[in-house]
Structures are given as structure tokens and as C-alpha cells.
Amino acid sequence: MPEKIEVTKFHDWGIPFKNVFFIAGPCSAESEEQLMQTASGLKGSKVNVLRAGIWKPRTRPGTFEGVGKEGLKWLKSAGDAIGAAVTTEVATPEHVEECLKHNIDILWIGARTTSNPFAVQAIADALKGVDIPVLVKNPINPDIELWDGALERMNRMGIKKLAAIHRGFSTYETSKFRNQPIWRIPIEMKRRNPEVPMLCDPSHICGNRELLLSVAQNAMDLLFDGLMLEVHFDPAQALSDAKQQLTPDAYNRLINKLKIKKVSSESTDYKQHIESLRNDIDEIDHQLLKLLAQRMNNAKKIAFHKMKNDISLFQPERWEKIMESRVKDGLGQGLSEDFVSRLYQFIHEESLREQEQVLTD
Ligand code: PEP
Ligand code: MN
């Protein structure tokens, strides 16, 4: 049984913010001037924390790997200049030590590090007894246990100011996103750890500026507690992630367009409508489950006949026909192809599992 994560309330971290916690700043610290210019562009903007990567985990060697500890001083003074707290990524105990020496306010753990429990544990050990907020990005791969496990490792070492950052997942599928959001994973994290604030990093999900607003809005619609966005005074010249960084002006425009949502309303009109529609949905779900159970029973009867006649459980032609006809049917009823095909993959997988059970019973 995973341990319950004990956290300090977000508003008690000592970093003031209104409804949404905003982290903004360049992907990488490149020079003192670049940080100062970006920070001054953000003066007066909704920014609670200034971010910049000092040590950059790059997929291939030979690219810009960060300015190293020298950049910590620049980051701190750029944050001071606009009255914002500062944060950077740590991947080793040495990074932690340097950040603590330079009074960095918040640490974050990057996606590549969360994927590696040895590295996470080494950071957690280095933080034992230190009262500093730690933000844990999801691992590169869509594995919720690694993400949850990293929070638990920090918490076991006494870190109570903890938050999660959703930055999307690397998958084998091609997509318009650099890292697919797979929203059900952060939603499940929130269900497991309702007290842990959940932030969204649209920059690393999107990989380009065009999609940022819609992803940031999605996060607001899903009640995320904050956003981390990459901002550079001159994105075209950025030494890393040039395509996804915003100018300070574009950042302000995006933030101002966001619609911040609340979880409920006292309006009687709203309540009445919602209640009646939700009652319908409850009944529809009951019928759906009844029909699915009937479908599974039929599949089991089929398995029996296949067994008696030495016929394979998997029937490629039939499966192909089902997929084709169900997608067509669904499209005709206004459902998306992607949804219907994923739904049937799921149903088919379960049907095969149930049939296999008949054979082994
Ligand atoms: C970053 O925030 O610049 C970064 C490297 O992010 P991630 O760990 O999400 O790839
Ligand atoms: Mn980046």
C-alpha cells in the first residue's frame, strides 16, 4: 500500500499567489543579461516564481548543457529584481548543495530524473531535514507509479512542500504534441493525492508556441493549481527549446486570455440543470455496464465453442470487421474515431482475457 503523502498547504509555502501559481522564465539560464532582460520583461506580470535551467539534461551531447552553478547568482538577482521567488532543476546531490548555498527558493526535479529512482533517492537523501519546496515533474514515460513514487521518496525524507508538474509523456505514437498530455494520468495523480498541488507545463507538452493557450486552458478546466511556462526575451536566439518559448508580451497576452474556473457554484439554476443531467448519466452508465456484462457473457459462450473445435481465440478477420463497423457506427452517432477505436481495443482486450479464462478454468 503506498503511503499517504503529507503536505503543507500550497498557500502556506510562504510564496504569495492568488488563485493560480505562475512560474515563468527561460528554458535555460544563458547569461546574466539574458536573465535580467527576461525578468524585466516580466516585471508587473503575473509571475510568482522565475524559472531557469542551470544544468540542462540534453538528449544528445554536444548541445548547450547549461551554464552551471555560476548561473545561480544571476537567477537569484533576476528574481530579486522583480520580487519573484526563483526555481531551477536539480538532478544530483551536488546540484542540491549548490542551490541551497545560493538560496534558491524552490527546486524542481526534471522528467528524465523522475524516471530514475536511484537519482530521485539520492536527491531526497541530500534534502533530508531541509525545508524547501520541491516540484516533481512526471517521468518521461507514462508511468504513474514512478511519479507517485518520487513524491513518496521526497516525503519520506521530510519534504512537505511538494507539488507535481505535468509536462506530458513521450510515447511511440506521433502526435501534434512534443509530449502527449494523456490527461487521465495527472487526473489519477490528483485523485490519489488530492492535497498535492498539480501544476501544468504547457511548454514541454506542446513543443511549439501555437498550442500553448489551448493546453494551458485545458489545465485550468481540469482545476490545475498553476502553470509553468517558458519565457525568453528573444526566443529565436534561445540556446534551448527556442520553438516553445514566449516573449514576455506573448506570455502576458496568454495569461490574460485564460479563463480561470471554479469547482462549483451556488446558483440554483446551475444546480438544477446539473443534477438532472447527472441523474440521466448515472442511469445510462448502469445500462452501459449491464450491456457490457451481457457482451462478455456472449464472448465466454463463444470461447467454449472455440475450445471444443480447437479454434484460436483471436480471430483477425472478425476483429478487423468489428473495428471497421463500430468506428463507422460511432462516427454516424457523432463519436470520434479515436474514442471508438480505443474503446473497442479495450473491450476486445478484456474479451480475450475473459475467453482465455474459460480455457484455463
Ligand atoms: C525544463 O523544464 O526545461 C526541462 C528540461 O523540462 P523536462 O524535465 O520536463 O523535460
Ligand atoms: Mn525547456
Side-chain angles (χ1 to χ4, degrees), residues 301-312 315 359:
K301 285 182 196 154
I302 288 179
F304 177 74
H305 293 289
K306 285 176 179 166
M307 181 170 69
K308 259 186 23 192
N309 294 282
D310 278 338
I311 307 289
S312 64
Q315 297 284 308
L359 262 57

Side-chain angles (χ1 to χ4, degrees), residues 66-282:
V67 292
K69 65 181 177 191
E70 195 188 357
L72 293 170
K73 280 190 243 101
W74 311 336
L75 176 60
K76 190 70 190 162
S77 46
D80 286 346
I82 58 164
V86 295
T87 184
T88 197
E89 172 174 350
V90 290
T92 67
E94 294 72 34
H95 296 166
V96 170
E97 198 185 320
E98 288 299 334
C99 287
L100 296 178
K101 248 196 251 167
H102 287 83
N103 295 319
I104 299 302
D105 304 284
I106 300 179
L107 307 178
W108 93 71
I109 297 186
R112 292 156 192 80
T113 307
T114 310
S115 305
N116 178 353
F118 284 139
V120 173
Q121 191 56 50
I123 295 169
D125 290 341
L127 284 170
K128 190 167 182 192
V130 183
D131 180 26
I132 189 167
V134 179
L135 318 176
V136 181
K137 289 205 179 193
N138 64 257
I140 294 271
N141 51 321
D143 182 340
I144 193 169
E145 303 305 336
L146 278 172
W147 197 7
D148 213 1
L151 285 176
E152 206 177 310
R153 285 179 195 277
M154 294 296 142
N155 207 219
R156 281 184 174 207
M157 287 299 145
I159 299 290
K160 292 220 158 74
K161 293 173 181 157
L162 272 175
I165 304 181
H166 171 228
R167 52 78 77 198
F169 302 90
S170 174
T171 66
Y172 64 91
E173 287 160 7
T174 49
S175 129
K176 61 181 177 177
F177 297 109
R178 176 176 172 193
N179 291 293
Q180 289 205 39
I182 323 186
W183 294 101
R184 69 188 136 81
I185 300 182
I187 289 172
E188 170 60 9
M189 269 296 272
K190 193 73 195 163
R191 194 193 62 77
R192 291 187 187 188
N193 307 296
E195 313 294 334
V196 178
M198 175 65 72
L199 315 179
C200 180
D201 167 355
S203 307
H204 292 89
I205 291 178
C206 299
N208 65 64
R209 285 178 277 279
E210 291 63 41
L211 297 169
L212 289 175
L213 176 61
S214 72
V215 169
Q217 186 58 55
N218 271 338
M220 295 298 98
D221 287 324
L222 295 172
L223 281 182
F224 276 57
D225 302 280
L227 293 173
M228 179 190 254
L229 282 155
E230 286 188 340
V231 179
H232 190 293
F233 80 98
D234 185 2
Q237 302 303 320
L239 298 181
S240 59
D241 289 353
K243 281 194 276 181
Q244 70 197 30
Q245 304 206 55
L246 292 166
T247 60
D249 283 351
Y251 170 79
N252 287 331
R253 282 197 296 277
L254 185 148
I255 298 301
N256 288 329
K257 278 191 197 144
L258 281 182
K259 294 196 174 57
I260 314 294
K261 303 298 173 72
K262 50 186 187 292
V263 76
S264 64
S265 160
E266 286 311 306
S267 140
T268 37
D269 177 63
Y270 167 81
K271 279 189 178 163
Q272 273 166 5
H273 279 108
I274 288 287
E275 197 178 297
S276 129
L277 290 164
R278 283 191 176 150
N279 286 342
D280 287 354
I281 284 186
D282 290 347

